[in-house]
Amino acid sequence: DGPRSLANDHVLTVLEALHDECGRDPEIRANLGFLLRQRGQWRRAHALILGAIDGIAPELVPHCLANAGYCLLELEEWVSAFGMLDATMSTLAAVDAGGVVIESMRPTASDLLDRAFQACSDASMIPASVIRMAEALRAFAPASRTPGPVSGP
């Protein structure tokens, strides 16, 4: 645990205090949710991030949808997760996303999707748009990573 961990601990303390005082602020909710997701608190992170979507700037909605979906993948709630990621792709298609790639922290979104595809017992529930999302994310993965094949519906 180095300086970054201490900084994140401080940020978490500040965000928790702000959330206690201004719990409806979408930016506080989203940032607290992103940090909790990074710490493996997926259920609470999902609720906070999802709660931020209605009031957050439109250009941040795809990031919130994707991260809420990633939380659900970690919880192995496949139908809801893939639905959320499908909504992410629909939102990106509906707006000028400026070439945005929705990447996450560690594990990377492409790693997380690859694991989810392998763990999901019914590949037919994976929307084609989510498979395209995984392919796009793999294109931006570090060069040292060699992704395995992914089969979809």
Side-chain angles (χ1 to χ4, degrees):
D1 301 352
R4 182 178 170 103
S5 178
L6 291 174
N8 280 343
D9 289 346
H10 179 69
V11 170
L12 180 61
T13 301
V14 170
L15 284 172
E16 288 282 13
L18 287 170
H19 183 260
D20 287 345
E21 291 181 30
C22 327
R24 293 183 182 258
D25 183 285
E27 277 112 24
I28 292 170
R29 282 179 152 193
N31 282 295
L32 179 56
F34 293 150
L35 188 55
L36 291 174
R37 180 179 165 250
Q38 182 180 3
R39 291 174 170 243
Q41 295 182 32
W42 301 299
R43 179 87 47 212
R44 184 163 179 235
H46 171 263
L48 286 164
I49 294 167
L50 207 54
I53 289 175
D54 285 339
I56 204 147
E59 63 271 14
L60 298 177
V61 169
H63 298 281
C64 289
L65 287 170
N67 277 278
Y70 299 150
C71 290
L72 293 172
L73 287 178
E74 292 285 7
L75 295 166
E76 297 185 3
E77 294 182 13
W78 308 124
V79 173
S80 297
F82 294 135
M84 186 78 54
L85 295 172
D86 188 41
T88 302
M89 295 303 285
S90 296
T91 302
L92 287 172
V95 298
D96 178 14
V100 70
V101 174
I102 307 285
E103 184 54 274
S104 69
M105 41 209 107
R106 287 185 175 82
T108 66
S110 59
D111 289 336
L112 185 57
L113 283 166
D114 286 344
R115 275 193 347 231
F117 291 165
Q118 290 174 0
C120 179
S121 61
D122 183 2
S124 69
M125 58 172 112
I126 305 170
S129 62
V130 177
I131 293 170
R132 286 192 306 276
M133 175 189 231
E135 291 167 354
L137 289 166
R138 271 189 230 105
F140 290 92
S144 62
R145 185 179 175 275
T146 9
V150 173
S151 60

